[in-house]
Amino acid sequence: MDKEKRIVLTGFMGVGKSTVARFLASLLKCEKIDLDAFTEQAERRTIAEIIHTEGEAHYRKIETENLRRVLSNNKAQIIALGGGAWTIEENRRLIKEQNFTTVWLESSFEHCWRNIRLSKRERPLAANKQQALRLFDERQRFYCLADWHFIIKPDLSSFEIARKIAEEIFSMKFN
Ligand code: S3P
């Protein structure tokens, strides 16, 4: 098993990055960091509050600063990004510099949208379906740049996705 590999999960809002990261960390018995949660803790306010009060451009600067801090924490082997982080060139450069393997959780827009709607978390950049769909389409070309692409079928649970990643990327064996 390739225990040394460190991975970053990316993909659109609602695809399940945080949950998959949690299961993956428990399968690999390693530490994970969720960039959104880390940012909210560091800033002592929610991402929605930051975006509403200071705008998206300022939020992206805060996000990059926190990504830098998360990447330099050598204990975290799995990092779940927020859906927009990988679309920023500087963030991709920082992630590559630290030799992380990037994994795109790829799924249909409808799947993500259903989860966005069901979730209690406010996502200011996906306030309505039209806005979310436009972002989804614009971002495919960035997500495509990830090292691995995992197609998320709606019938797969987050645990099953984490298991597949553990098998394929970390060569873990399950019976
Ligand atoms: C964003 C995604 C969110 C959060 C912020 C912006 C985006 O994270 O970082 O609301 O631009 O796609 P999730 O992907 O975890 O929802």
Side-chain angles (χ1 to χ4, degrees):
M1 181 178 137
D2 189 353
K3 279 197 151 179
E4 301 307 306
K5 215 169 253 175
R6 302 175 78 200
I7 75 164
V8 154
L9 296 177
T10 186
F12 198 66
M13 291 174 257
V15 75
K17 301 177 290 294
S18 304
T19 318
V20 170
R22 199 170 62 238
F23 283 126
L24 193 54
S26 109
L27 286 172
L28 297 169
K29 299 186 176 44
C30 70
E31 287 196 27
K32 63 111 179 105
I33 296 186
D34 187 280
L35 179 60
D36 286 352
F38 183 92
T39 302
E40 292 191 337
Q41 231 176 0
E43 296 298 312
R44 296 172 188 214
R45 53 197 168 145
T46 64
I47 290 170
E49 279 166 344
I50 302 172
I51 296 178
H52 287 313
T53 55
E54 284 156 76
E56 185 187 350
H58 186 71
Y59 165 64
R60 294 296 171 206
K61 287 195 188 130
I62 293 176
E63 185 180 49
T64 297
E65 271 328 296
N66 284 298
L67 175 64
R68 228 185 266 280
R69 293 162 67 188
V70 163
L71 291 171
S72 65
N73 172 344
N74 294 326
K75 281 194 271 168
Q77 199 175 352
I78 314 280
I79 296 173
L81 298 179
W86 180 250
T87 68
I88 307 294
E89 192 177 0
E90 186 180 357
N91 296 345
R92 294 198 297 276
R93 188 181 55 74
L94 292 170
I95 290 165
K96 284 186 184 162
E97 241 171 45
Q98 298 285 330
N99 288 322
F100 274 82
T101 299
T102 46
V103 177
W104 174 21
L105 303 183
E106 176 183 3
S107 89
S108 70
F109 173 73
E110 289 303 330
H111 177 67
C112 294
W113 180 244
R114 196 167 39 247
N115 291 337
I116 291 171
R117 263 195 355 220
L118 291 174
S119 154
K120 289 193 192 82
R121 253 185 82 201
E122 190 195 349
R123 288 174 167 100
L125 303 180
N128 60 61
K129 191 171 182 178
Q130 224 182 356
Q131 185 190 25
L133 180 58
R134 202 187 59 237
L135 263 191
F136 181 90
D137 288 340
E138 277 170 16
R139 289 178 172 177
Q140 299 303 300
R141 68 193 175 100
F142 298 113
Y143 295 139
C144 263
L145 302 172
D147 302 312
W148 287 74
H149 300 181
F150 272 84
I151 311 251
I152 309 303
K153 301 204 188 92
D155 55 335
L156 276 184
S157 70
S158 296
F159 179 71
E160 286 166 324
I161 296 161
R163 239 172 84 141
K164 268 177 173 290
I165 296 175
E167 281 171 349
E168 292 190 34
I169 300 187
F170 292 88
S171 311
M172 270 183 92
K173 302 261 183 288
F174 299 96
N175 46 19

